[in-house]
């Protein structure tokens, strides 16, 4: 099985700064297997993003896929399954918007996190080619959440107001209908 175990908060790998992925390994069976494993693990967990440290590999590799664009935040932009290796992130506009975030490594909990909503990313794709992209809104938040995993940071570290840190059920019962995105 290529579905990997997702490690959870408390595991020390989630708190390490991940190593850059070696450029000379892009052509290797090992790299291709890693991407397949991350895709299958993401699908098995019904997630929208996964970073290599979450499968206990301290490398700067993350994947994102948003196919269901109808979310609790309304319609969001889709992104096909995409691989980001050794990414560099630049904030283009510092204005923040908050979303309730969850994490496959912090199951059962949700927290309200504000992040910049317009970023640029430089990265290597799955073929080792240099690419750049801009993300706005919800996808900017998704990318920053995954990028944080490469630096040993979890969304729980970024919750400013801990009264907005909640179990899933209580989130659904008491917060789901909040007006939580002030610029919307
Ligand atoms: Ni996460």
């Amino acid at each position: 099985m290529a579905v990997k175990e997702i490690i959870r908060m408390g595991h020390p790998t989630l708190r390490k700064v991940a190593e850059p992925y070696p450029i000379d390994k892009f052509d290797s069976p090992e790299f291709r297997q890693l991407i397949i494993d991350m895709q299958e693990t993401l699908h098995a967990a019904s997630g929208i993003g996964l970073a290599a440290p979450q499968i206990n590999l301290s490398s700067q590799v993350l994947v994102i896929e948003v196919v269901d664009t109808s979310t609790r935040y309304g319609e969001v932009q889709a992104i096909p399954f995409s691989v980001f290796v050794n990414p560099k992130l630049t904030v283009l506009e510092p204005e923040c918007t908050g979303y309730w975030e969850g994490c496959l490594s912090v199951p059962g909990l949700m927290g309200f996190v504000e992040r910049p909503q317009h970023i640029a990313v430089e990265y290597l794709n799955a073929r080792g080619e240099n690419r750049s992209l801009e993300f706005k809104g919800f996808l900017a938040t998704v990318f920053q959440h995954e990028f944080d995993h490469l630096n040993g940071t979890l969304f729980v570290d970024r919750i400013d107001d801990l009264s907005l840190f909640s179990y899933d059920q209580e989130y659904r019962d008491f917060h789901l209908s909040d007006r939580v995105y002030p610029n919307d």
Side-chain angles (χ1 to χ4, degrees):
M1 281 293 280
V3 174
K4 298 290 187 181
E5 180 193 358
I6 296 174
I7 60 174
R8 306 199 305 176
M9 182 169 62
H11 193 299
T13 299
L14 290 172
R15 293 312 197 169
K16 284 187 194 161
V17 176
E19 296 289 332
Y21 197 83
I23 304 222
D24 59 2
K25 283 172 106 184
F26 272 81
D27 278 331
S28 67
E30 178 189 332
F31 179 70
R32 284 191 289 276
Q33 189 62 48
L34 170 64
I35 299 308
I36 291 167
D37 290 353
M38 290 182 73
Q39 185 170 30
E40 294 191 1
T41 304
L42 182 68
H43 289 169
S46 302
I48 56 176
L50 184 72
Q54 294 182 274
I55 56 167
N56 201 16
L57 179 72
S58 196
S59 286
Q60 292 180 19
V61 180
L62 65 87
V63 298
I64 292 176
E65 180 179 51
V66 178
V67 285
D68 184 2
T69 56
S70 200
T71 72
R72 61 181 180 270
Y73 303 112
E75 285 293 312
V76 301
Q77 192 187 340
I79 177 169
F81 180 79
S82 301
V83 177
F84 300 85
V85 182
N86 301 343
K88 306 270 181 286
L89 188 154
T90 307
V91 173
L92 297 178
E93 293 171 35
E95 288 87 341
C96 291
T97 292
Y99 293 93
W100 281 87
E101 298 186 18
C103 180
L104 298 174
S105 294
V106 190
L109 291 164
M110 303 281 291
F112 186 72
V113 178
E114 296 185 83
R115 302 183 188 267
Q117 295 296 290
H118 189 188
I119 62 171
V121 180
E122 286 181 61
Y123 63 100
L124 299 170
N125 67 13
R127 290 183 295 280
E129 300 159 339
N130 277 296
R131 289 286 181 268
S132 59
L133 267 183
E134 289 186 21
F135 289 116
K136 285 186 171 176
F138 180 71
L139 285 183
T141 279
V142 170
F143 188 89
Q144 288 169 86
H145 175 116
E146 300 309 329
F147 185 81
D148 271 352
H149 279 299
L150 306 183
N151 290 299
T153 299
L154 298 174
F155 81 92
V156 299
D157 307 333
R158 297 200 182 274
I159 302 170
D160 287 332
D161 178 354
L162 285 170
S163 75
L164 301 178
F165 186 30
S166 171
Y167 290 101
D168 283 344
Q169 183 64 52
E170 284 72 10
Y171 161 73
R172 286 192 294 271
D173 288 348
F174 302 112
H175 299 285
L176 185 55
S177 60
D178 287 357
R179 285 185 53 80
V180 291
Y181 34 107
N183 296 335
D184 205 303

